[in-house]
Amino acid sequence: MEDTQVKGAKVVLPIKGMTCASCAQTIEGALNKLDGVIEARVNFATEKAFVKYDQGKVSREDLIGRVKDVGYGVRQETKKFTFKVGGMSCASCAQTIENALKKREGVLEAAVNFATEKATVSYDPTIVEVEDIKRVVDETGYQALGFEGEEAEEDEELQRMKEAKRRMTLAWSLTAPIILWMFHEMFTGRPFPNRSIFNLGMIILASPVMFWMGLETLRSGWLAVRHGSANMDVLIGMGTTAAFLTGPAVFFSAIENYAGVAAMIMAFHLTGRYVEAKAKGRASQAIKKLLELGAKTARIIVDGEEKEVPVEEVKVGDVMVVRPGEKIPTDGRVIEGKSSVDESMATGESMPVKKGVGDEVIGATINQQGVLKVEATKVGKDTFLSQVIKMVEECQGTKVPIQAFADRVTSYFVPTVLGIAVLTFLSWLLFPGTFRAIGEWASAFIPWVDPTLGVISLAIFAMVAVLVIACPCALGLATPTALMVGSGMGAEHGILIRTGEAIQTMKDVHTIVFDKTGTITKGKPEVTDVLGMNGFKEEEVLRLAGSVEVSSEHPLGIAIAEAARSRGISLAGVSNFEAISGKGVKAQLNGEWILIGNRKLMTDEDIDYRSAEDELSRLEEEAKTAMLIASDGRLAGVIAVADTLKDDSVKAIAELEGMGLETAMITGDNLRTAEAIARKVGISRVLAEVLPDGKVAEIQKLQEKVGMVAMVGDGINDAPALTQANVGIAIGTGTDIAIESSDITLVSGEL
């Protein structure tokens, strides 16, 4: 839970009572003013507040209180689960456990039954987790045993959509007769059957639409005004109330009855609310679909026998048995068996991936062929699927720059419309002749405009029109909804978008910089040439280099060690091993210093490598990485290693260039090698001989030259550069640090 600048706790509050983007603005403004809040973002589409705060200054309760202070509420998310309890000997044991559970923050209700030896707990998942609840039982001196699963929750989005549809249907069932009744007067000029019954009928039919179906809108508008803010419901509420009040007023003054119009406006408004609820429901399906992907149960080996347990009970180190066609319950490592695994859920790639002993597997992917025994390495919130859900949620909680602009516009919009409405009303009263002339002109093609009405009636009609026609909801809802759908669809196709800003920034990117190793290339190089010099034979050169590199984690070092082993060369142990960043490695073998690296390392160590220059140049022109080997102060030979291109690199880079984007490659390789690889793959700009700590500076220079830059990388040393780039794109096969530093992750590891 860390930012690059400020540490703080994070909380997501599900907000209730928001009806438009202005509501979100009001809550966001109130939370950001609270002392101790580092950052607050309120997303109208997801109906959630994402708050980062200093726990020393402000608590979660303070945040909830602030939301309530401005007239809104925080929904309490509730889950319920049942588990068996061991160790109880009497009814007072059950009472002890029950009391301990009820004291735990986040537990809403707890019931422990001594007879059935079961506990049922209702809890708020935003505060407490299942493991925390079980820990309370264990700490009380009893055992939380078999997990019997969570009770299915009613889909809140679906419930709200149903409620919005019900309100809309009821509103139109009363508004449709109003419209039909109005048609008679509109086309004949006479109310049916007479003026008094018509006026009374309009009031009777409009009242339920206004004060039953439309009550939530009126209440929301009133709360906003009471708390000194203005939202969309203020406009609708004022417009419909002003129109409705002309109904009773018609019996006491010479004014037109607009009560029926008030019902029509409210019905249209409630239709908009239903469409909005449907849009939100559809957009929020992304996370629901991801949650449904996970396995529900796992088959683990206990005392040599298979036992089926809920996936929540799987612990790190448990061995799971996964048969063909079954989902792998949680992230793990294959310890026995071979199979093909369908990883399309994670990577978006339809081709199954072969898995054998030692290979990592992802929870929720599907085992296709053989039986696998998998050791669980990550469970619960640490799994790949949980991290994906977290990233999608975080992305949906962010704001793209255009949305921030829309929010600013919305905050000024409602007060401006109110001002214009008042100005319109006064203008009709002060300049009736001018405006009546406009009305006479409009009546020729708009049948419901009647310029013969009284001035007050026309003024009210014009004011109501201004209030109800101005709706910033599309402005406030469109962007966050598009963001939700985009990030959700991206996740389904193996593209994880961490921040909304990345989506908007990507369209302005001029240059995409690729790290070479593991990004453009497979990152698994092989030894292609071994040259002996100064009396050293090829086998001796490979023995020296292999002995030094045997414990190396660098891909080039691993390739050398594997080449030595594959030729049956026995490798000796070394001491004082040292990796020299951007230059190579050195170590002592039988008291002699062995050096492996580039020209810079040899120069630093005063090794004369001039005799190898021609061979170095030839190998580098072939896009091979040539390393110099020295033993006891003398040049021993050259080993060349080539890293093969990924199958899709050439095609991906050609497509990017075809879209008008400039591609660049950043590498620690020398210029000649780098240019040879760039030519093979079709990259137009080369940044060569860049040490790991120089990548950030190179990105900065490029930003000064061309503007917006995206960086694609996979290693730990790419993390700072990914952060520096306008958009950081991590390869999913890379390190966790690189993925954490990026804005977008390509899960499959392919471009």
Side-chain angles (χ1 to χ4, degrees), residues 120 131 429 489 619 645:
T120 301
E131 287 305 313
L429 294 179
M489 287 184 72
L619 293 167
L645 295 174

Side-chain angles (χ1 to χ4, degrees), residues 378-394:
K378 289 179 182 176
V379 295
K381 59 177 183 287
D382 297 324
T383 63
F384 172 82
L385 185 61
S386 296
Q387 291 302 311
V388 170
I389 292 165
K390 183 185 166 198
M391 282 178 76
V392 173
E393 281 182 331
E394 282 183 1

Side-chain angles (χ1 to χ4, degrees), residues 714-730:
D714 72 326
I716 291 172
N717 59 11
D718 295 326
L722 289 170
T723 306
Q724 173 61 38
N726 300 94
V727 180
I729 303 169

Side-chain angles (χ1 to χ4, degrees), residues 510-516 519-520 653 656-657 661-667 678 681-687 699 702 706 709-712:
H510 177 277
T511 303
I512 300 182
V513 180
F514 294 87
D515 175 55
K516 188 199 78 172
T519 303
I520 295 172
I653 283 158
L656 291 171
E657 291 276 349
L661 291 161
E662 181 191 42
T663 55
M665 181 177 77
I666 192 165
T667 176
V681 81
I683 276 175
S684 47
R685 187 189 288 261
V686 176
L687 307 170
I699 296 292
L702 198 55
V706 302
V709 171
M711 162 87 183
V712 187

Side-chain angles (χ1 to χ4, degrees), residues 380-609:
K381 59 177 183 287
D382 297 324
T383 63
F384 172 82
L385 185 61
S386 296
Q387 291 302 311
V388 170
I389 292 165
K390 183 185 166 198
M391 282 178 76
V392 173
E393 281 182 331
E394 282 183 1
C395 175
Q396 292 183 351
T398 61
K399 289 188 180 181
V400 296
I402 191 70
Q403 188 184 339
F405 171 73
D407 287 348
R408 280 200 304 276
V409 170
T410 304
S411 64
Y412 294 111
F413 188 88
V414 176
T416 304
V417 170
L418 288 171
I420 293 169
V422 172
L423 198 62
T424 303
F425 182 74
L426 294 173
S427 299
W428 273 88
L429 294 179
L430 295 171
F431 310 104
T434 306
F435 286 100
R436 194 182 290 276
I438 296 169
E440 286 170 358
W441 166 77
S443 65
F445 51 89
I446 304 175
W448 55 82
V449 174
D450 185 359
T452 62
L453 295 173
V455 174
I456 293 175
S457 294
L458 289 169
I460 291 170
F461 189 89
M463 180 184 74
V464 169
V466 170
L467 286 170
V468 300
I469 208 73
C471 178
C473 282
L475 193 70
L477 184 66
T479 310
T481 303
L483 183 62
M484 289 173 76
V485 174
S487 58
M489 287 184 72
E492 286 175 33
H493 291 87
I495 301 165
L496 305 183
I497 303 160
R498 183 184 290 277
T499 63
E501 192 170 351
I503 297 175
Q504 187 176 333
T505 309
M506 273 306 290
K507 74 178 177 62
D508 299 318
V509 164
H510 177 277
T511 303
I512 300 182
V513 180
F514 294 87
D515 175 55
K516 188 199 78 172
T517 308
T519 303
I520 295 172
T521 62
K522 288 179 180 174
K524 290 185 179 177
E526 294 175 354
V527 171
T528 56
D529 303 80
V530 182
L531 305 173
M533 293 178 179
N534 295 331
F536 285 87
K537 291 182 178 177
E538 287 179 14
E539 192 174 300
E540 177 63 9
V541 171
L542 197 54
R543 187 186 73 81
L544 293 172
S547 297
V548 173
E549 298 284 16
V550 73
S551 57
S552 173
E553 292 181 3
H554 193 283
L556 301 181
I558 292 167
I560 291 171
E562 282 181 0
R565 283 197 201 97
S566 67
R567 295 189 193 186
I569 297 170
S570 60
L571 305 177
V574 297
S575 58
N576 299 318
F577 178 90
E578 184 186 347
I580 302 150
S581 184
K583 294 175 185 177
V585 295
K586 65 179 183 178
Q588 279 187 305
L589 176 63
N590 299 327
E592 293 181 0
W593 279 101
I594 311 297
L595 308 176
I596 306 168
N598 56 21
R599 293 174 178 87
K600 286 180 185 173
L601 180 64
M602 298 298 142
T603 304
D604 289 351
E605 299 288 338
D606 294 325
I607 307 290
D608 184 3
Y609 61 86

Side-chain angles (χ1 to χ4, degrees), residues 46-268:
T46 59
E47 295 187 316
K48 286 178 180 176
F50 298 82
V51 188
K52 190 172 187 179
Y53 64 102
D54 182 343
Q55 287 175 299
K57 292 182 179 178
V58 68
S59 67
R60 187 177 186 273
E61 286 66 37
D62 295 330
L63 299 174
I64 293 170
R66 192 50 170 257
V67 173
K68 289 178 178 175
D69 287 346
V70 289
Y72 301 89
V74 174
R75 275 196 314 278
Q76 195 165 52
E77 292 192 10
T78 308
K79 281 190 176 181
K80 186 185 279 190
F81 82 106
T82 303
F83 59 95
K84 285 190 78 67
V85 179
M88 291 193 294
S89 56
C90 64
S92 65
C93 298
Q95 193 64 41
T96 303
I97 298 166
E98 199 171 291
N99 292 338
L101 286 168
K102 284 178 179 175
K103 285 176 188 172
R104 180 66 167 87
E105 189 189 5
V107 172
L108 310 172
E109 203 176 310
V112 181
N113 189 313
F114 171 58
T116 60
E117 295 187 325
K118 286 181 183 178
T120 301
V121 180
S122 294
Y123 67 102
D124 184 342
T126 62
I127 302 173
V128 68
E129 293 183 358
V130 170
E131 287 305 313
D132 300 324
I133 293 167
K134 287 183 164 186
R135 202 175 298 119
V136 170
V137 176
D138 294 339
E139 286 170 359
T140 314
Y142 302 90
Q143 299 89 46
L145 303 171
F147 182 94
E148 294 192 2
E150 295 184 345
E151 291 185 10
E153 291 180 89
E154 204 165 26
D155 191 325
E156 209 171 321
E157 295 285 355
L158 191 65
Q159 284 298 96
R160 271 183 274 174
M161 200 164 73
K162 282 181 181 174
E163 180 59 26
K165 188 178 183 180
R166 188 183 68 83
R167 281 204 202 101
M168 177 192 74
T169 307
L170 287 171
W172 280 111
S173 69
L174 293 169
T175 305
I178 289 173
I179 294 168
L180 292 171
W181 205 348
M182 282 180 166
F183 274 156
H184 186 274
E185 185 184 16
M186 192 182 292
F187 294 113
T188 66
R190 295 190 313 277
F192 175 83
N194 59 53
R195 176 63 65 185
S196 295
I197 291 174
F198 174 82
N199 286 335
L200 196 60
M202 289 292 120
I203 296 167
I204 290 167
L205 286 170
S207 293
V209 179
M210 280 288 295
F211 304 111
W212 179 21
M213 297 90 182
L215 183 62
E216 192 180 302
T217 299
L218 297 177
R219 187 189 288 128
S220 168
W222 165 245
L223 285 170
V225 170
R226 207 179 83 190
H227 291 94
S229 62
N231 62 14
M232 182 59 211
D233 291 334
V234 172
L235 300 181
I236 295 293
M238 285 183 70
T240 53
T241 304
F244 180 82
L245 290 175
T246 59
V250 79
F251 295 104
F252 312 106
S253 59
I255 196 169
E256 190 68 15
N257 183 353
Y258 292 129
V261 173
M264 287 164 64
I265 292 164
M266 187 60 80
F268 276 114

